[in-house]
Amino acid sequence: MYIIKGVKEALLYKKLEGRAVQCRNCAHYCAILPGKRGICGVRENQDGKLYSLVYGKAIACHIDPIEKKPFFHFLPGTYSLSVATVGCNFACRNCQNWDISQSPKLNGTIAGENLSPKEIVKRAKENGLPSISYTYTEPTVFLEYALETMKLAKKEGLKNNWVTNGFLSKEAFEIVAPYLDAANVDLKGFTEDFYRENCGGRLKPVLETLKRMKEKKIWVEVTTLVIPTLNDTEDTFRGIANFIKNELGPETPWHITQFSGGISWKLQHLPDTPVETLEKAYRIGKGAGLKYVYTGNVPGLDSEDTFCPKCGVKMIDRMGYQITRYDKNGKCARCGQDLDLILD
Ligand code: SF4
């Protein structure tokens, strides 16, 4: 293990006996001995103090369509400055960004360009972008960096969104929530077995985070990547759909996305998700009473479009990340029904 000089003391940790510490950033609550790192590989105990090794070290800073996150109801049709550091508190076998999410654990290094929170916000403003996305890896593990950027972004009138596995601790959620406008949360499966075996995590804290977000009125969209043989049963689809409807509300969009084995970390042996399976999940979501269910990663399906939940007319047409809107200021142009769009 390399020892890298910590650049920022962690915000959330507790000192234990013998210079050990407990990180309180995510639901792993790692106990970390001196000289060691937590499960995410980017928080290190240096002489009895916990440091973030990724503060100010961006591994990515790109301009993406907000639809790519995916957000379909939050600032639709806009672009977002998308930032990440290396590291993740999960180890999903299906991960498509494993080269950056897992690299600190695989080789001990912390890659990235020096980019301050101020520079990120400046870049977003210079490009006329209305939001910053904390994405690609897991924003929870770069909490201090994200938080500082989010505070500055808010002062400049920008919105903040996270694309997250939802495994952050209650303490971390509480300090982030005042600056968080929207979140796309992966609900990767609906059993503890799936979370433990495929992700190295747990389901319950994710469900708790989702409920907390709704309570704080943060706009939430949920994504499930459907992996053949691992989380593609009707029970799973029904469990997720009913949870969203009953606990988060029927206006919460559910994105059901196609898995591609070829770009996964450790599941190359599995086939791509059949379109029929996605369509089955779509029907179950609609049957459960969700207003907005979307399939993803298969361009050209009608199930990517937004239909008025009252009269059924298509109000947003999507082809990949290109959209055409027919609504009138977020309302159905035909019957006036609110389409649950956050437009500014
Ligand atoms: S962020 Fe999570 S995984 Fe990383 S050290 Fe803290 S508790 Fe452990």
Side-chain angles (χ1 to χ4, degrees):
M1 175 80 71
Y2 296 78
I3 298 284
I4 295 167
K5 195 170 176 300
V7 283
K8 190 80 168 177
E9 189 172 356
L11 280 173
L12 296 170
Y13 76 97
K14 200 166 91 178
K15 295 194 176 187
L16 304 175
E17 271 179 35
R19 305 237 271 235
V21 298
Q22 184 189 42
C23 178
R24 305 196 57 83
N25 212 27
C26 86
H28 284 311
Y29 290 106
C30 298
I32 311 171
L33 293 170
K36 300 289 184 197
R37 295 182 191 171
I39 288 172
C40 57
V42 299
R43 294 178 172 267
E44 190 168 87
N45 178 343
Q46 298 185 358
D47 232 358
K49 284 187 176 178
L50 186 66
Y51 285 92
S52 163
L53 302 179
V54 288
Y55 186 93
K57 283 250 170 229
I59 193 67
C61 184
H62 305 309
I63 297 173
D64 283 339
I66 198 88
E67 278 74 18
K68 190 177 173 185
K69 303 297 124 197
F71 281 107
F72 281 9
H73 286 248
F74 176 71
L75 306 177
T78 66
Y79 285 76
S80 184
L81 191 69
S82 303
V83 293
T85 72
V86 294
C88 186
N89 49 356
F90 276 11
C92 302
R93 293 186 293 165
N94 53 280
C95 186
Q96 299 174 359
N97 291 334
W98 63 272
D99 54 330
I100 55 173
S101 70
Q102 305 301 317
S103 58
K105 298 177 232 178
L106 297 174
N107 58 31
T109 57
I110 305 291
E113 66 162 313
N114 292 327
L115 191 64
S116 70
K118 214 166 151 185
E119 285 165 320
I120 295 173
V121 174
K122 191 167 159 244
R123 218 175 265 191
K125 295 271 290 180
E126 278 171 358
N127 286 284
L129 304 171
S131 71
I132 299 178
S133 301
Y134 306 81
T135 178
Y136 305 131
T137 58
E138 174 48 50
T140 305
V141 308
F142 58 92
L143 179 93
E144 295 79 5
Y145 189 25
L147 189 62
E148 205 54 42
T149 309
M150 291 164 82
K151 287 180 180 174
L152 292 175
K154 277 274 165 201
K155 273 193 199 150
E156 293 293 331
L158 305 179
K159 293 205 182 314
N160 294 304
N161 69 75
W162 276 30
V163 180
T164 175
N165 60 26
F167 201 64
L168 67 169
S169 66
K170 185 168 184 279
E171 300 93 306
F173 174 73
E174 274 166 9
I175 60 173
V176 162
Y179 308 97
L180 187 61
D181 297 289
N184 187 307
V185 181
D186 275 343
L187 190 42
K188 294 169 184 280
F190 210 61
T191 64
E192 289 294 348
D193 282 351
F194 176 83
Y195 265 82
R196 187 179 59 252
E197 288 160 17
N198 194 61
C199 311
R202 284 176 289 124
L203 169 64
K204 195 162 169 258
V206 179
L207 300 181
E208 285 166 358
T209 296
L210 278 162
K211 289 192 260 182
R212 279 183 202 124
M213 285 177 168
K214 274 315 240 203
E215 278 163 26
K216 292 277 185 195
K217 304 205 181 318
I218 293 163
W219 178 254
V220 172
E221 304 198 15
V222 172
T223 297
T224 305
L225 181 81
V226 179
I227 309 171
T229 72
L230 299 185
N231 66 352
D232 60 348
T233 63
E234 290 191 26
D235 275 358
T236 292
F237 299 149
R238 231 173 253 118
I240 294 176
N242 288 333
F243 172 83
I244 296 173
K245 163 84 188 323
N246 298 331
E247 303 291 342
L248 309 180
E251 75 287 357
T252 308
W254 182 28
H255 300 265
I256 306 155
T257 56
Q258 185 184 45
F259 161 85
S260 287
I263 50 172
S264 73
W265 184 25
K266 291 182 171 176
L267 296 176
Q268 285 94 349
H269 57 287
L270 291 181
D272 294 0
T273 323
V275 171
E276 304 78 68
T277 308
L278 300 176
E279 287 174 339
K280 192 200 289 174
Y282 179 90
R283 283 194 299 276
I284 288 174
K286 293 297 259 184
L290 299 181
K291 291 182 182 174
Y292 311 106
V293 184
Y294 301 107
T295 56
N297 298 344
V298 188
L301 296 182
D302 277 354
S303 43
E304 268 201 319
D305 301 331
T306 299
F307 296 89
C308 170
K310 191 167 167 202
C311 74
V313 169
K314 187 190 285 188
M315 280 294 121
I316 304 181
D317 187 78
R318 296 189 180 81
M319 177 55 74
Y321 304 131
Q322 296 299 316
I323 72 163
T324 309
R325 284 177 54 190
Y326 306 109
D327 63 285
K328 274 194 186 157
N329 295 325
K331 304 228 184 307
C332 174
R334 184 182 178 199
C335 73
Q337 168 72 25
D338 190 83
L339 300 172
D340 300 290
L341 299 175
I342 293 167
L343 298 175
D344 52 34

